[in-house]
Amino acid sequence: MEKSRKILVSTALPYANGSLHIGHMVEHIQSDIWVRFQRLRGHQCISVCADDAHGTPIMLAARDEGITPEELIARFYAEHRRDFDDFNISFDNYHSTHSDENRELVEHIYRMLDKNGHIDRKSIVQAYDEKEGMFLPDRYVRGTCPNPDCGAADQYGDSCEVCGSTYNPADLKDAISVISGTKPVERKSEHLFFRLASFETMLRGWVGRLQEGIARKLDEWFDSGLRDWDISRDAPYFGFEVPGLPKHYFYVWLDAPVGYMASFKNLCDRTDGLDFDTYWKPDSDAEVYHFIGKDIVYFHCLFWPAVLHGAGFRVPTSVFAHGFLTINGQKMSKRRRTFITARQYLDNLSPEYLRYYYAAKLGPGIDDIDMNIEDFVQRVNSDVVGKLVNIASRCAGFISKQFDGKLAPKLPEPDLYQLFADAGDRLAELYESREYSRAMREIMALADQANRYIDEHKPWQAIKDPARHAEVHGVCTQGLNFYRALIIYLKPVLPGIASASEDFFNSPPLNWDDVSAPLLATSLQRFKPLIQRIDIKKVEAMLLTPSESKPEQRSVKNEIDIDQFLNVELRVARIVKAQAVEGADKLLELQLDLGDEKRSVFAGIRSAYQPEDLQDRLTVVVANLKPRKMRFGISEGMVLAAGPGGEDIFLISPDTGAKPGMRVR
């Protein structure tokens, strides 16, 4: 009997400003399979995650929508939780980095690092967007990679996606601001730096527990020299303010991995007998694992263990990195109709299909996996429906109709069943090492063997002879025990089918060791279909974008008739005054003269016009629009403009001969 283990597992935190897609689900399904396997083996395996809720992108996205960052992250938190639940991802806790637990832990870690001499304060030169009035995060600067051996164009300000080099935004060639499209200037600011190089000896010893490909990449970074890590950002920024350093905030990449600890602490505070320190103290015998994508290895395999060690916590037992997902051999693309959100998938297909397909493709390495749509349909229909579920459906009817729903008291071929039971040790090794694709092949080989057994004994023919009914009873009992063994082995991958099968067997939740003894002389529930074949029409529906899903509809929404249109009162107005709206990137507040009255209107034209350039310009206003209360005040109408957007927004010219108050027809 294997000794019970205490295991804590985390997955990378989804960013709280966008929907989940099936690329995200590669990691979360991979992790969930491993977690469910450990629980099935009798270990205490806790799975935590959270939304990554801080940073400039969230601040800007909320500003563009005219809402607070807190409102934005709350919306995506609810959406992410719903999608994970519907994919049967079994988190013990799903939290947010914008939480009291995370703030307390980040501040504690920072103070410990500072106390232990691992923090420097430096005056640095940063990219500054004069048009937007803000320092630019690394990812908001793009340009040409400074590595002389690379020179790739259109790269981020912190790292090159082509050669993997890391650098400062100032090192980029031909740099531009992603926000405004203008060339950044350089400005000084005081920042906090974590002395990463001080931990090189510790890190070199730690990386031996990582995947071979990841360890090789880390050796390259060691050889090129570890740089101090900037852990603070200037206001404006959505995050946690640094204690003692006003208008400076902890960089999102410091508080995001702390979110693993914070989510676990939130769970501990709500769970009797679950102790935070038991898992995070330096001498802990518990195990801590992080599942991540290969694109964030630098943060998780250098910065994170060094930060933990420097602050007096244990380092992770290991970090498991995986590759990216491609669809039909290419990156996901909205144009090619292969960008599939989690909800888009779930609205059309069972999560069990994708869980099995990913398991059949995933190994322990960092290679990318491809979801070929044709192969996806064929493999799921062949393996899950045609092989696995087919075993149960071929045998269950005979047990129900001919033998009062009760299994035989013994197996006709116990030695053959023992082969299935003996496969458990080998399959456990494959699950443990994340060799899922090999495990699926071996399980399906057993399914083939079970189906051959049924084919050889042909219970549909034997049942015609009353003298052979006992034989049929034994054959179908043997077949259903084959199925039960296989469903135990596949329970981490197919939890929905496993749960329905437990109901069919009148069984409590099955554990890994239950395969050692067959189920005999037991009454079963009436068999119900466990899963349907994938309908290609539903796959096609999934691949359609919302606008393409109903091609018979026109693209114009909420059409009005001519009578409704004639009720719209359009009038010419002169702009008396214009001013920027604090806290809104796109809005200007306009004071309008309509000839016989004055109006105040908010208009989203800031990207095209400076306020001082609008005085005495003319515009067209929807004059009979009901006043609308906005976060910034009351808007008493709507300004009309033309153009594709951005800087190309056009009001009517002041020399057209139009006069304030004039009606427009």
Side-chain angles (χ1 to χ4, degrees):
M1 184 72 177
E2 186 179 9
K3 180 183 176 182
S4 180
R5 298 154 61 187
K6 291 183 176 180
I7 306 170
L8 176 62
V9 173
S10 76
T11 43
L13 313 183
Y15 204 48
N17 72 339
S19 298
L20 299 175
H21 54 69
I22 62 171
H24 290 115
M25 299 316 301
V26 171
E27 176 176 308
H28 293 283
I29 288 173
Q30 181 190 38
S31 172
D32 191 61
I33 290 172
W34 200 78
V35 167
R36 286 178 179 273
F37 162 72
Q38 300 296 351
R39 294 171 183 159
L40 203 61
R41 296 278 284 177
H43 304 306
Q44 182 185 51
C45 188
I46 297 169
S47 175
V48 298
C49 193
D51 266 6
D52 184 357
H54 288 158
T56 300
I58 285 172
M59 178 186 73
L60 294 177
R63 187 184 298 176
D64 287 345
E65 289 192 32
I67 61 177
T68 66
E70 288 83 358
E71 290 173 313
L72 181 75
I73 63 177
R75 186 176 80 217
F76 281 109
Y77 176 83
E79 180 183 311
H80 292 172
R81 283 292 305 268
R82 178 198 63 178
D83 289 349
F84 283 133
D85 286 346
D86 289 351
F87 261 108
N88 287 323
I89 306 300
S90 58
F91 293 127
D92 291 282
N93 198 46
Y94 194 85
H95 205 37
S96 170
T97 58
H98 192 63
S99 66
D100 291 339
E101 296 90 352
N102 206 35
R103 182 194 298 273
E104 292 167 5
L105 281 165
V106 169
E107 291 181 356
H108 172 76
I109 287 172
Y110 164 67
R111 289 190 177 100
M112 291 301 296
L113 293 175
D114 196 25
K115 176 183 176 182
N116 294 333
H118 303 310
I119 300 293
D120 278 338
R121 288 160 176 78
K122 302 178 185 178
S123 180
I124 66 166
V125 175
Q126 291 184 93
Y128 186 83
D129 188 320
E130 291 184 305
K131 185 174 181 180
E132 293 293 329
M134 62 181 290
F135 287 99
L136 293 170
D138 298 345
R139 292 249 152 178
Y140 279 77
V141 182
R142 293 186 76 95
T144 301
C145 174
N147 181 352
D149 297 326
C150 179
D154 196 31
Q155 296 303 306
Y156 287 117
D158 57 353
S159 63
C160 177
E161 292 181 316
V162 177
C163 71
S165 297
T166 58
Y167 40 74
N168 293 316
D171 298 330
L172 275 178
K173 300 176 182 178
D174 307 317
I176 64 166
S177 164
V178 173
I179 302 174
S180 68
T182 61
K183 180 179 176 62
V185 299
E186 294 184 345
R187 285 195 181 182
K188 286 186 177 181
S189 177
E190 184 181 13
H191 272 224
L192 303 172
F193 283 82
F194 173 64
R195 293 177 173 177
L196 180 63
S198 302
F199 297 87
E200 181 173 344
T201 300
M202 182 276 292
L203 290 170
R204 282 185 178 273
W206 179 77
V207 299
R209 63 184 74 181
L210 302 177
Q211 294 147 289
E212 184 178 347
I214 298 300
R216 285 199 303 269
K217 188 63 182 177
L218 292 176
D219 282 340
E220 294 177 17
W221 287 327
F222 286 134
D223 292 343
S224 63
L226 299 180
R227 301 180 181 182
D228 290 350
W229 181 35
D230 188 346
I231 62 168
S232 65
R233 292 296 183 268
D234 299 271
Y237 194 81
F238 182 60
F240 295 142
E241 195 166 14
V242 178
L245 194 62
K247 296 184 178 180
H248 284 74
Y249 293 80
F250 289 119
Y251 178 37
V252 63
W253 264 113
L254 177 64
D255 76 59
V258 177
Y260 305 143
M261 304 172 75
S263 183
F264 180 63
K265 188 174 188 307
N266 176 263
L267 179 65
C268 290
D269 292 343
R270 297 183 288 105
T271 307
D272 291 339
L274 191 59
D275 179 58
F276 180 85
D277 291 337
T278 298
Y279 287 77
W280 287 103
K281 62 185 179 182
D283 58 347
S284 171
D285 61 356
E287 303 168 50
V288 175
Y289 299 96
H290 303 308
F291 283 76
I292 63 165
K294 63 183 179 182
D295 55 326
I296 52 176
V297 163
Y298 199 88
F299 296 102
H300 282 80
C301 297
L302 290 177
F303 294 136
W304 179 232
V307 164
L308 287 169
H309 186 73
F313 291 102
R314 55 89 49 78
V315 297
T317 308
S318 191
V319 175
F320 300 143
H322 60 82
F324 302 135
L325 176 72
T326 57
I327 307 290
N328 294 333
Q330 298 177 308
K331 289 184 177 180
M332 287 194 294
S333 164
K334 292 180 180 178
R335 180 177 59 82
R336 290 190 292 266
R337 300 194 309 181
T338 55
F339 185 90
I340 305 167
T341 67
R343 184 49 47 184
Q344 194 176 338
Y345 176 92
L346 289 164
D347 283 344
N348 293 280
L349 298 171
S350 165
E352 304 287 272
Y353 299 151
L354 195 65
R355 290 180 66 100
Y356 178 78
Y357 189 74
Y358 282 173
K361 304 283 282 188
L362 279 166
I366 58 174
D367 295 333
D368 295 346
I369 68 170
D370 182 55
M371 181 179 177
N372 179 280
I373 298 299
E374 184 177 333
D375 178 58
F376 165 67
V377 174
Q378 189 278 330
R379 183 173 301 205
V380 171
N381 285 344
S382 172
D383 288 3
V384 179
V385 183
K387 294 182 181 180
L388 175 69
V389 174
N390 191 47
I391 299 168
S393 62
R394 298 174 82 185
C395 298
F398 294 110
I399 297 293
S400 175
K401 295 175 184 177
Q402 302 295 330
F403 307 107
D404 296 324
K406 191 172 184 179
L407 295 173
K410 64 179 182 179
L411 296 179
E413 297 190 41
D415 290 344
L416 183 56
Y417 176 81
Q418 191 60 41
L419 290 176
F420 280 65
D422 289 345
D425 289 343
R426 166 66 177 163
L427 292 172
E429 292 174 0
L430 294 176
Y431 272 118
E432 179 70 38
S433 58
R434 307 176 318 288
E435 294 266 14
Y436 300 162
S437 60
R438 294 177 65 181
M440 296 308 103
R441 287 196 299 272
E442 296 196 15
I443 291 170
M444 286 304 145
L446 291 172
D448 286 336
Q449 193 169 353
N451 278 296
R452 282 196 300 271
Y453 172 85
I454 298 168
D455 288 339
E456 290 167 359
H457 290 84
K458 297 179 175 57
W460 55 89
Q461 289 185 1
I463 199 66
K464 298 175 184 178
D465 183 354
R468 299 181 66 187
H469 280 195
E471 175 190 338
V472 172
H473 198 190
V475 167
C476 292
T477 297
Q478 182 98 25
L480 287 173
N481 271 280
F482 289 153
Y483 172 76
R484 177 173 169 271
L486 296 174
I487 210 64
I488 289 172
Y489 296 148
L490 284 168
K491 188 175 179 180
V493 179
L494 302 172
I497 294 177
S499 178
S501 299
E502 288 164 348
D503 291 342
F504 166 62
F505 285 119
N506 270 328
S507 169
L510 292 165
N511 293 310
W512 193 266
D513 291 341
D514 289 335
V515 76
S516 62
L519 190 66
L520 302 171
T522 300
S523 294
L524 308 180
Q525 295 287 345
R526 182 172 293 276
F527 183 77
K528 299 176 182 177
L530 297 170
I531 198 165
Q532 302 297 320
R533 295 175 63 84
I534 296 179
D535 184 346
I536 192 63
K537 291 181 180 179
K538 291 188 175 182
V539 176
E540 292 169 351
M542 175 188 70
L543 296 174
L544 290 175
T545 61
S547 62
E548 294 169 322
S549 61
K550 297 181 180 179
E552 72 279 2
Q553 292 185 348
R554 295 175 58 184
S555 60
V556 177
K557 306 298 182 185
N558 301 320
E559 293 178 314
I560 62 174
D561 59 31
I562 187 64
D563 292 330
Q564 289 173 295
F565 176 71
L566 291 176
N567 286 331
V568 178
E569 183 181 340
L570 303 179
R571 295 171 63 184
V572 176
R574 184 180 302 279
I575 301 173
V576 178
K577 181 183 178 182
Q579 61 185 18
V581 178
E582 184 176 353
D585 286 347
K586 298 181 179 180
L587 293 181
L588 292 177
E589 183 178 4
L590 309 178
Q591 300 298 323
L592 305 178
D593 180 3
L594 279 71
D596 58 352
E597 63 175 312
K598 301 291 193 296
R599 297 275 189 93
S600 177
V601 171
F602 293 94
I605 58 174
R606 187 172 174 180
S607 60
Y609 293 97
Q610 294 297 318
E612 58 269 21
D613 297 333
L614 287 173
Q615 187 169 342
D616 293 327
R617 288 294 297 263
L618 298 179
T619 185
V620 175
V621 179
V622 180
N624 62 337
L625 185 68
K626 183 179 179 179
R628 182 162 66 102
K629 184 177 181 180
M630 301 179 67
R631 183 158 67 95
F632 315 99
I634 303 295
S635 185
E636 300 172 302
M638 177 182 290
V639 167
L640 302 186
E647 296 182 356
D648 297 322
I649 297 174
F650 308 105
L651 303 177
I652 62 176
S653 173
D655 58 0
T656 59
K659 302 294 182 182
M662 182 181 293
R663 291 179 180 271
V664 178
R665 295 293 185 192

